Amino acid sequence: MRIGFVATLVHSLDYFTISLFFQLSSNALHIHVKVTIGGNYIHKQNISNSKSIMKSTITMTAWKFDEQMIMFPLVLLVIVCSHPTVNGFEVFLINNLGGNTNLAVHCFSPQVKNLGSLVILPGDDFHWEFGINIGTTAEYECDMGYGNKQKRFQVFAERRDALRCGNQKCYWRVDRDGLYLYIKEVDDYQKQFSW
């Protein structure tokens, strides 16, 4: 997907043309900026944000102080736009163990934060929301246990779960034989992990 706009600004006897194009691929955001004065090319900048590394190439020709005053906010805008946050995700852990069995849970993300420890009562759920910046990844793990069962599960990995969780909500049903994830494509829960 490629989105762009062109703006023309009049300054004294010259006019500035600013072309800004955003191209989003599956794992990166590419921003292309080109500035001309009266048809003469004076500035070009390409920014590619891939994974967590931002690559930037800048080519400039000499310009007057006035043009630098206009370019500084534009370049700043492009840099800020290169790290937008995509829509947030939400993860649900549902205690489906049955009977009066509580589920002990301690969830955390190596990149972000510790969600703490808690007990999910039978039939209840625990859920949290988070956003992901383009070019970064998110992962969440949970130590879970009931009775004499105890295990760590990766309940969210962006590359694995972003597409298979419907509407950016991941529903995990915790059963006695393992963890089941609601898969949007099949419209049903499928077993992903065993205890």
Side-chain angles (χ1 to χ4, degrees), residues 36-97:
T36 57
I37 295 182
N40 296 319
Y41 158 83
I42 65 160
H43 177 82
K44 177 182 176 184
Q45 181 167 2
N46 293 314
I47 296 175
S48 176
N49 181 345
S50 178
K51 296 189 180 174
S52 60
I53 301 168
M54 186 167 130
K55 301 173 185 173
S56 179
T57 357
I58 301 175
T59 307
M60 293 187 213
T61 58
W63 56 41
K64 295 183 274 182
F65 180 73
D66 289 340
E67 287 98 14
Q68 287 178 349
M69 294 302 289
I70 290 173
M71 287 307 301
F72 177 75
L74 176 65
V75 172
L76 185 60
L77 172 68
V78 169
I79 291 170
V80 169
C81 287
S82 69
H83 287 285
T85 300
V86 299
N87 292 331
F89 285 90
E90 197 167 5
V91 175
F92 292 79
L93 301 178
I94 303 163
N95 180 349
N96 195 49
L97 295 171

Short mmCIF file of all heavy atoms in Angstrom, two decimals, residues 36-97:
data_model
loop_
_atom_site.label_atom_id
_atom_site.label_comp_id
_atom_site.label_asym_id
_atom_site.label_seq_id
_atom_site.Cartn_x
_atom_site.Cartn_y
_atom_site.Cartn_z
N THR A 36 11.46 20.35 -3.88
CA THR A 36 12.03 21.12 -4.98
C THR A 36 11.68 22.59 -4.79
O THR A 36 10.65 22.92 -4.18
CB THR A 36 11.49 20.66 -6.35
OG1 THR A 36 10.09 20.76 -6.34
CG2 THR A 36 11.89 19.22 -6.64
N ILE A 37 12.54 23.48 -5.30
CA ILE A 37 12.25 24.91 -5.31
C ILE A 37 12.25 25.34 -6.77
O ILE A 37 13.26 25.20 -7.45
CB ILE A 37 13.31 25.72 -4.53
CG1 ILE A 37 13.27 25.35 -3.05
CG2 ILE A 37 13.07 27.21 -4.71
CD1 ILE A 37 14.24 26.13 -2.20
N GLY A 38 11.11 25.84 -7.22
CA GLY A 38 11.00 26.29 -8.60
C GLY A 38 11.39 25.22 -9.60
O GLY A 38 11.95 25.52 -10.65
N GLY A 39 11.14 23.99 -9.29
CA GLY A 39 11.47 22.89 -10.21
C GLY A 39 12.87 22.32 -9.99
O GLY A 39 13.24 21.33 -10.60
N ASN A 40 13.70 22.97 -9.14
CA ASN A 40 15.05 22.46 -8.87
C ASN A 40 15.04 21.59 -7.62
O ASN A 40 14.62 22.03 -6.55
CB ASN A 40 16.05 23.63 -8.67
CG ASN A 40 16.19 24.45 -9.92
OD1 ASN A 40 16.26 23.91 -11.02
ND2 ASN A 40 16.21 25.77 -9.77
N TYR A 41 15.55 20.40 -7.77
CA TYR A 41 15.60 19.43 -6.68
C TYR A 41 16.60 19.89 -5.61
O TYR A 41 17.74 20.21 -5.93
CB TYR A 41 16.00 18.08 -7.27
CG TYR A 41 16.60 17.08 -6.34
CD1 TYR A 41 15.77 16.29 -5.56
CD2 TYR A 41 17.96 16.91 -6.25
CE1 TYR A 41 16.31 15.35 -4.71
CE2 TYR A 41 18.51 15.97 -5.41
CZ TYR A 41 17.67 15.20 -4.64
OH TYR A 41 18.20 14.26 -3.80
N ILE A 42 16.17 20.03 -4.35
CA ILE A 42 17.11 20.44 -3.31
C ILE A 42 17.23 19.46 -2.16
O ILE A 42 18.19 19.49 -1.41
CB ILE A 42 16.73 21.82 -2.71
CG1 ILE A 42 15.39 21.75 -1.99
CG2 ILE A 42 16.78 22.90 -3.75
CD1 ILE A 42 15.21 22.87 -1.00
N HIS A 43 16.26 18.59 -1.97
CA HIS A 43 16.32 17.71 -0.81
C HIS A 43 15.60 16.40 -1.10
O HIS A 43 14.53 16.39 -1.71
CB HIS A 43 15.66 18.40 0.40
CG HIS A 43 15.62 17.55 1.63
ND1 HIS A 43 16.69 17.43 2.47
CD2 HIS A 43 14.63 16.77 2.14
CE1 HIS A 43 16.35 16.61 3.47
NE2 HIS A 43 15.11 16.21 3.29
N LYS A 44 16.21 15.32 -0.65
CA LYS A 44 15.56 14.01 -0.77
C LYS A 44 15.90 13.24 0.48
O LYS A 44 17.03 13.27 0.96
CB LYS A 44 16.10 13.29 -2.00
CG LYS A 44 15.54 11.90 -2.18
CD LYS A 44 16.16 11.24 -3.40
CE LYS A 44 15.68 9.81 -3.53
NZ LYS A 44 16.33 9.14 -4.65
N GLN A 45 14.91 12.58 1.03
CA GLN A 45 15.15 11.75 2.21
C GLN A 45 14.30 10.50 2.12
O GLN A 45 13.12 10.55 1.84
CB GLN A 45 14.83 12.50 3.50
CG GLN A 45 15.10 11.66 4.73
CD GLN A 45 15.09 12.48 6.01
OE1 GLN A 45 14.84 13.67 5.98
NE2 GLN A 45 15.36 11.84 7.10
N ASN A 46 14.94 9.35 2.34
CA ASN A 46 14.23 8.07 2.40
C ASN A 46 14.46 7.48 3.77
O ASN A 46 15.59 7.37 4.22
CB ASN A 46 14.76 7.09 1.35
CG ASN A 46 14.45 7.54 -0.06
OD1 ASN A 46 13.34 7.93 -0.33
ND2 ASN A 46 15.44 7.49 -0.93
N ILE A 47 13.39 7.14 4.44
CA ILE A 47 13.50 6.51 5.75
C ILE A 47 12.82 5.16 5.67
O ILE A 47 11.70 5.05 5.20
CB ILE A 47 12.83 7.37 6.85
CG1 ILE A 47 13.56 8.70 6.99
CG2 ILE A 47 12.81 6.63 8.17
CD1 ILE A 47 12.91 9.65 7.95
N SER A 48 13.53 4.15 6.11
CA SER A 48 12.96 2.81 6.14
C SER A 48 13.05 2.29 7.56
O SER A 48 14.12 2.21 8.13
CB SER A 48 13.72 1.89 5.20
OG SER A 48 13.20 0.58 5.30
N ASN A 49 11.93 1.96 8.13
CA ASN A 49 11.88 1.43 9.49
C ASN A 49 11.60 -0.06 9.37
O ASN A 49 10.49 -0.46 9.11
CB ASN A 49 10.78 2.14 10.27
CG ASN A 49 10.71 1.64 11.69
OD1 ASN A 49 11.26 0.60 12.01
ND2 ASN A 49 10.02 2.37 12.53
N SER A 50 12.64 -0.86 9.55
CA SER A 50 12.48 -2.30 9.42
C SER A 50 12.91 -2.95 10.70
O SER A 50 14.01 -2.72 11.20
CB SER A 50 13.33 -2.79 8.26
OG SER A 50 13.22 -4.18 8.14
N LYS A 51 12.05 -3.80 11.27
CA LYS A 51 12.25 -4.42 12.57
C LYS A 51 12.47 -3.30 13.57
O LYS A 51 11.72 -2.36 13.64
CB LYS A 51 13.38 -5.43 12.53
CG LYS A 51 13.04 -6.59 11.59
CD LYS A 51 14.02 -7.69 11.68
CE LYS A 51 13.59 -8.79 10.72
NZ LYS A 51 14.53 -9.85 10.64
N SER A 52 13.53 -3.35 14.40
CA SER A 52 13.72 -2.28 15.38
C SER A 52 14.82 -1.32 14.95
O SER A 52 15.25 -0.48 15.70
CB SER A 52 14.05 -2.88 16.74
OG SER A 52 15.21 -3.63 16.64
N ILE A 53 15.29 -1.44 13.70
CA ILE A 53 16.39 -0.59 13.23
C ILE A 53 15.84 0.41 12.23
O ILE A 53 15.16 0.05 11.29
CB ILE A 53 17.48 -1.43 12.56
CG1 ILE A 53 18.02 -2.46 13.55
CG2 ILE A 53 18.59 -0.56 12.02
CD1 ILE A 53 18.87 -3.50 12.93
N MET A 54 16.10 1.68 12.47
CA MET A 54 15.64 2.71 11.55
C MET A 54 16.81 3.08 10.65
O MET A 54 17.87 3.47 11.12
CB MET A 54 15.16 3.93 12.32
CG MET A 54 14.56 4.96 11.43
SD MET A 54 13.70 6.16 12.41
CE MET A 54 14.40 7.62 11.72
N LYS A 55 16.62 2.93 9.33
CA LYS A 55 17.67 3.28 8.38
C LYS A 55 17.25 4.57 7.70
O LYS A 55 16.11 4.71 7.30
CB LYS A 55 17.81 2.17 7.34
CG LYS A 55 18.16 0.82 7.93
CD LYS A 55 18.12 -0.25 6.88
CE LYS A 55 18.36 -1.59 7.53
NZ LYS A 55 18.17 -2.69 6.62
N SER A 56 18.17 5.49 7.55
CA SER A 56 17.82 6.76 6.95
C SER A 56 18.92 7.19 5.98
O SER A 56 20.09 7.09 6.29
CB SER A 56 17.66 7.82 8.04
OG SER A 56 17.34 9.05 7.46
N THR A 57 18.51 7.61 4.78
CA THR A 57 19.47 8.15 3.82
C THR A 57 19.03 9.56 3.48
O THR A 57 17.88 9.77 3.14
CB THR A 57 19.46 7.36 2.49
OG1 THR A 57 18.57 6.28 2.57
CG2 THR A 57 20.82 6.92 2.09
N ILE A 58 19.94 10.49 3.57
CA ILE A 58 19.60 11.89 3.30
C ILE A 58 20.55 12.42 2.24
O ILE A 58 21.75 12.24 2.32
CB ILE A 58 19.73 12.76 4.56
CG1 ILE A 58 18.81 12.22 5.66
CG2 ILE A 58 19.41 14.21 4.26
CD1 ILE A 58 18.95 12.93 6.97
N THR A 59 19.99 13.07 1.22
CA THR A 59 20.80 13.72 0.20
C THR A 59 20.34 15.17 0.15
O THR A 59 19.15 15.42 0.00
CB THR A 59 20.57 13.08 -1.19
OG1 THR A 59 20.79 11.69 -1.06
CG2 THR A 59 21.51 13.67 -2.22
N MET A 60 21.25 16.10 0.29
CA MET A 60 20.87 17.51 0.29
C MET A 60 21.82 18.31 -0.58
O MET A 60 22.98 17.96 -0.71
CB MET A 60 20.95 18.09 1.70
CG MET A 60 19.97 17.56 2.67
SD MET A 60 20.07 18.48 4.19
CE MET A 60 19.69 17.22 5.33
N THR A 61 21.32 19.38 -1.13
CA THR A 61 22.18 20.36 -1.78
C THR A 61 22.13 21.61 -0.91
O THR A 61 21.28 21.73 -0.04
CB THR A 61 21.68 20.68 -3.20
OG1 THR A 61 20.35 21.17 -3.10
CG2 THR A 61 21.71 19.45 -4.08
N ALA A 62 23.02 22.53 -1.17
CA ALA A 62 23.08 23.75 -0.36
C ALA A 62 21.80 24.57 -0.53
O ALA A 62 21.24 24.64 -1.61
CB ALA A 62 24.27 24.60 -0.79
N TRP A 63 21.33 25.16 0.52
CA TRP A 63 20.16 26.01 0.46
C TRP A 63 20.31 27.19 1.40
O TRP A 63 21.20 27.22 2.23
CB TRP A 63 18.87 25.26 0.73
CG TRP A 63 18.83 24.52 2.04
CD1 TRP A 63 19.29 24.94 3.24
CD2 TRP A 63 18.31 23.22 2.27
NE1 TRP A 63 19.09 24.02 4.19
CE2 TRP A 63 18.48 22.94 3.63
CE3 TRP A 63 17.70 22.28 1.47
CZ2 TRP A 63 18.07 21.75 4.20
CZ3 TRP A 63 17.29 21.10 2.04
CH2 TRP A 63 17.48 20.85 3.39
N LYS A 64 19.42 28.15 1.28
CA LYS A 64 19.49 29.34 2.11
C LYS A 64 18.86 29.06 3.47
O LYS A 64 18.14 28.10 3.66
CB LYS A 64 18.74 30.49 1.42
CG LYS A 64 19.38 30.93 0.13
CD LYS A 64 18.65 32.10 -0.45
CE LYS A 64 17.50 31.57 -1.29
NZ LYS A 64 16.74 32.60 -1.95
N PHE A 65 19.11 29.95 4.41
CA PHE A 65 18.60 29.81 5.77
C PHE A 65 17.08 29.65 5.80
O PHE A 65 16.54 28.88 6.54
CB PHE A 65 19.04 31.03 6.60
CG PHE A 65 18.56 30.96 8.03
CD1 PHE A 65 19.14 30.09 8.92
CD2 PHE A 65 17.51 31.76 8.46
CE1 PHE A 65 18.70 30.02 10.23
CE2 PHE A 65 17.07 31.70 9.76
CZ PHE A 65 17.67 30.82 10.65
N ASP A 66 16.37 30.42 4.93
CA ASP A 66 14.91 30.36 4.91
C ASP A 66 14.40 28.96 4.62
O ASP A 66 13.46 28.49 5.21
CB ASP A 66 14.34 31.34 3.88
CG ASP A 66 14.53 32.78 4.31
OD1 ASP A 66 14.73 33.01 5.52
OD2 ASP A 66 14.46 33.67 3.45
N GLU A 67 15.04 28.27 3.66
CA GLU A 67 14.61 26.92 3.32
C GLU A 67 14.87 25.95 4.47
O GLU A 67 14.09 25.03 4.73
CB GLU A 67 15.31 26.41 2.06
CG GLU A 67 14.82 27.06 0.79
CD GLU A 67 15.73 28.19 0.34
OE1 GLU A 67 16.86 28.28 0.85
OE2 GLU A 67 15.31 28.97 -0.53
N GLN A 68 15.97 26.16 5.20
CA GLN A 68 16.26 25.29 6.33
C GLN A 68 15.19 25.43 7.40
O GLN A 68 14.81 24.46 8.03
CB GLN A 68 17.63 25.63 6.93
CG GLN A 68 18.78 25.18 6.05
CD GLN A 68 20.12 25.57 6.64
OE1 GLN A 68 20.19 26.34 7.58
NE2 GLN A 68 21.18 25.03 6.07
N MET A 69 14.67 26.64 7.58
CA MET A 69 13.62 26.85 8.57
C MET A 69 12.35 26.10 8.18
O MET A 69 11.61 25.64 9.03
CB MET A 69 13.32 28.35 8.70
CG MET A 69 14.48 29.14 9.28
SD MET A 69 14.98 28.54 10.89
CE MET A 69 13.61 29.08 11.87
N ILE A 70 12.10 25.96 6.88
CA ILE A 70 10.93 25.21 6.44
C ILE A 70 11.20 23.71 6.51
O ILE A 70 10.34 22.92 6.87
CB ILE A 70 10.55 25.62 5.01
CG1 ILE A 70 10.00 27.05 5.04
CG2 ILE A 70 9.53 24.65 4.41
CD1 ILE A 70 9.74 27.64 3.68
N MET A 71 12.42 23.30 6.19
CA MET A 71 12.74 21.87 6.14
C MET A 71 12.82 21.23 7.52
O MET A 71 12.46 20.08 7.68
CB MET A 71 14.08 21.63 5.42
CG MET A 71 13.98 21.84 3.92
SD MET A 71 12.64 20.87 3.19
CE MET A 71 13.14 19.23 3.65
N PHE A 72 13.27 21.96 8.53
CA PHE A 72 13.43 21.35 9.85
C PHE A 72 12.13 20.76 10.38
O PHE A 72 12.10 19.59 10.76
CB PHE A 72 14.01 22.37 10.84
CG PHE A 72 14.13 21.81 12.23
CD1 PHE A 72 15.13 20.92 12.54
CD2 PHE A 72 13.21 22.15 13.21
CE1 PHE A 72 15.24 20.38 13.81
CE2 PHE A 72 13.30 21.62 14.47
CZ PHE A 72 14.32 20.74 14.78
N PRO A 73 10.99 21.50 10.37
CA PRO A 73 9.75 20.88 10.84
C PRO A 73 9.31 19.70 9.98
O PRO A 73 8.77 18.72 10.48
CB PRO A 73 8.71 22.00 10.77
CG PRO A 73 9.47 23.25 10.63
CD PRO A 73 10.80 22.91 10.07
N LEU A 74 9.56 19.78 8.65
CA LEU A 74 9.17 18.68 7.78
C LEU A 74 9.95 17.41 8.09
O LEU A 74 9.37 16.33 8.23
CB LEU A 74 9.38 19.08 6.31
CG LEU A 74 9.09 17.96 5.31
CD1 LEU A 74 7.62 17.60 5.35
CD2 LEU A 74 9.51 18.36 3.92
N VAL A 75 11.26 17.53 8.23
CA VAL A 75 12.09 16.36 8.54
C VAL A 75 11.71 15.81 9.91
O VAL A 75 11.61 14.60 10.11
CB VAL A 75 13.59 16.71 8.45
CG1 VAL A 75 14.44 15.56 8.95
CG2 VAL A 75 13.96 17.05 7.02
N LEU A 76 11.44 16.70 10.86
CA LEU A 76 11.01 16.26 12.19
C LEU A 76 9.70 15.49 12.10
O LEU A 76 9.53 14.44 12.72
CB LEU A 76 10.87 17.47 13.11
CG LEU A 76 10.55 17.18 14.57
CD1 LEU A 76 11.64 16.32 15.20
CD2 LEU A 76 10.38 18.47 15.34
N LEU A 77 8.75 15.99 11.30
CA LEU A 77 7.48 15.31 11.11
C LEU A 77 7.69 13.91 10.52
O LEU A 77 7.07 12.94 10.95
CB LEU A 77 6.57 16.13 10.19
CG LEU A 77 5.27 15.46 9.76
CD1 LEU A 77 4.35 15.29 10.96
CD2 LEU A 77 4.59 16.26 8.66
N VAL A 78 8.57 13.80 9.55
CA VAL A 78 8.83 12.50 8.91
C VAL A 78 9.42 11.53 9.92
O VAL A 78 9.03 10.36 9.98
CB VAL A 78 9.77 12.67 7.70
CG1 VAL A 78 10.25 11.33 7.21
CG2 VAL A 78 9.04 13.42 6.60
N ILE A 79 10.34 11.98 10.75
CA ILE A 79 10.94 11.10 11.74
C ILE A 79 9.91 10.64 12.76
O ILE A 79 9.84 9.47 13.11
CB ILE A 79 12.15 11.78 12.41
CG1 ILE A 79 13.29 11.92 11.39
CG2 ILE A 79 12.61 11.01 13.63
CD1 ILE A 79 14.42 12.78 11.84
N VAL A 80 9.06 11.56 13.21
CA VAL A 80 8.02 11.19 14.16
C VAL A 80 7.04 10.21 13.53
O VAL A 80 6.63 9.23 14.14
CB VAL A 80 7.27 12.45 14.66
CG1 VAL A 80 6.02 12.07 15.42
CG2 VAL A 80 8.19 13.27 15.54
N CYS A 81 6.70 10.43 12.26
CA CYS A 81 5.75 9.54 11.58
C CYS A 81 6.33 8.16 11.32
O CYS A 81 5.59 7.23 11.03
CB CYS A 81 5.32 10.15 10.24
SG CYS A 81 4.19 11.53 10.44
N SER A 82 7.64 8.02 11.40
CA SER A 82 8.23 6.72 11.10
C SER A 82 8.07 5.74 12.25
O SER A 82 8.44 4.59 12.14
CB SER A 82 9.71 6.87 10.74
OG SER A 82 10.45 7.25 11.88
N HIS A 83 7.51 6.17 13.38
CA HIS A 83 7.29 5.27 14.51
C HIS A 83 5.84 5.30 14.99
O HIS A 83 5.58 5.45 16.17
CB HIS A 83 8.21 5.64 15.68
CG HIS A 83 9.62 5.26 15.43
ND1 HIS A 83 10.06 3.97 15.50
CD2 HIS A 83 10.68 6.00 15.07
CE1 HIS A 83 11.36 3.93 15.22
NE2 HIS A 83 11.75 5.15 14.95
N PRO A 84 4.86 5.16 14.07
CA PRO A 84 3.49 5.16 14.55
C PRO A 84 3.17 3.87 15.28
O PRO A 84 3.82 2.86 15.09
CB PRO A 84 2.67 5.28 13.27
CG PRO A 84 3.53 4.67 12.23
CD PRO A 84 4.95 4.97 12.64
N THR A 85 2.15 3.93 16.12
CA THR A 85 1.68 2.73 16.82
C THR A 85 0.53 2.13 16.04
O THR A 85 -0.40 2.83 15.68
CB THR A 85 1.20 3.10 18.23
OG1 THR A 85 2.29 3.68 18.94
CG2 THR A 85 0.72 1.87 18.98
N VAL A 86 0.62 0.84 15.76
CA VAL A 86 -0.49 0.18 15.10
C VAL A 86 -1.59 -0.03 16.12
O VAL A 86 -1.40 0.15 17.31
CB VAL A 86 -0.06 -1.16 14.47
CG1 VAL A 86 1.01 -0.96 13.44
CG2 VAL A 86 0.41 -2.14 15.53
N ASN A 87 -2.75 -0.44 15.65
CA ASN A 87 -3.86 -0.68 16.56
C ASN A 87 -3.45 -1.63 17.66
O ASN A 87 -2.65 -2.53 17.46
CB ASN A 87 -5.05 -1.25 15.80
CG ASN A 87 -5.63 -0.22 14.85
OD1 ASN A 87 -5.54 0.97 15.10
ND2 ASN A 87 -6.23 -0.69 13.78
N GLY A 88 -4.04 -1.45 18.81
CA GLY A 88 -3.69 -2.27 19.96
C GLY A 88 -4.22 -3.69 19.87
O GLY A 88 -5.14 -3.98 19.12
N PHE A 89 -3.62 -4.55 20.64
CA PHE A 89 -4.05 -5.94 20.76
C PHE A 89 -4.58 -6.14 22.17
O PHE A 89 -4.25 -5.41 23.09
CB PHE A 89 -2.88 -6.89 20.51
CG PHE A 89 -2.51 -7.01 19.07
CD1 PHE A 89 -1.56 -6.17 18.52
CD2 PHE A 89 -3.09 -7.96 18.26
CE1 PHE A 89 -1.19 -6.27 17.19
CE2 PHE A 89 -2.75 -8.08 16.92
CZ PHE A 89 -1.80 -7.23 16.39
N GLU A 90 -5.38 -7.19 22.33
CA GLU A 90 -5.90 -7.55 23.63
C GLU A 90 -5.80 -9.06 23.76
O GLU A 90 -6.14 -9.80 22.83
CB GLU A 90 -7.36 -7.08 23.75
CG GLU A 90 -7.87 -7.03 25.15
CD GLU A 90 -9.18 -6.27 25.26
OE1 GLU A 90 -9.75 -5.86 24.22
OE2 GLU A 90 -9.64 -6.09 26.40
N VAL A 91 -5.31 -9.53 24.90
CA VAL A 91 -5.16 -10.96 25.16
C VAL A 91 -6.06 -11.33 26.33
O VAL A 91 -6.08 -10.65 27.36
CB VAL A 91 -3.69 -11.32 25.49
CG1 VAL A 91 -3.57 -12.79 25.87
CG2 VAL A 91 -2.78 -11.00 24.31
N PHE A 92 -6.82 -12.41 26.17
CA PHE A 92 -7.73 -12.91 27.20
C PHE A 92 -7.28 -14.30 27.62
O PHE A 92 -7.01 -15.15 26.77
CB PHE A 92 -9.16 -13.02 26.65
CG PHE A 92 -9.82 -11.72 26.35
CD1 PHE A 92 -9.52 -11.04 25.18
CD2 PHE A 92 -10.74 -11.17 27.22
CE1 PHE A 92 -10.14 -9.83 24.88
CE2 PHE A 92 -11.36 -9.96 26.94
CZ PHE A 92 -11.06 -9.29 25.78
N LEU A 93 -7.24 -14.56 28.92
CA LEU A 93 -7.01 -15.89 29.47
C LEU A 93 -8.29 -16.28 30.20
O LEU A 93 -8.69 -15.61 31.16
CB LEU A 93 -5.84 -15.90 30.45
CG LEU A 93 -4.49 -15.44 29.91
CD1 LEU A 93 -3.46 -15.45 31.03
CD2 LEU A 93 -4.04 -16.34 28.77
N ILE A 94 -8.93 -17.36 29.75
CA ILE A 94 -10.22 -17.78 30.30
C ILE A 94 -10.02 -19.08 31.07
O ILE A 94 -9.53 -20.07 30.52
CB ILE A 94 -11.24 -17.99 29.17
CG1 ILE A 94 -11.38 -16.70 28.34
CG2 ILE A 94 -12.59 -18.44 29.73
CD1 ILE A 94 -12.02 -16.89 26.99
N ASN A 95 -10.40 -19.08 32.34
CA ASN A 95 -10.30 -20.28 33.18
C ASN A 95 -11.48 -21.20 32.85
O ASN A 95 -12.60 -20.97 33.26
CB ASN A 95 -10.31 -19.90 34.66
CG ASN A 95 -10.21 -21.12 35.56
OD1 ASN A 95 -10.33 -22.26 35.12
ND2 ASN A 95 -9.99 -20.89 36.84
N ASN A 96 -11.18 -22.28 32.11
CA ASN A 96 -12.18 -23.27 31.73
C ASN A 96 -11.84 -24.63 32.34
O ASN A 96 -12.12 -25.68 31.76
CB ASN A 96 -12.27 -23.36 30.20
CG ASN A 96 -13.51 -24.08 29.72
OD1 ASN A 96 -14.60 -23.76 30.15
ND2 ASN A 96 -13.33 -25.04 28.82
N LEU A 97 -11.20 -24.59 33.52
CA LEU A 97 -10.75 -25.82 34.17
C LEU A 97 -11.91 -26.61 34.77
O LEU A 97 -11.80 -27.81 35.01
CB LEU A 97 -9.72 -25.50 35.26
CG LEU A 97 -8.40 -24.91 34.73
CD1 LEU A 97 -7.54 -24.42 35.89
CD2 LEU A 97 -7.64 -25.91 33.88
#
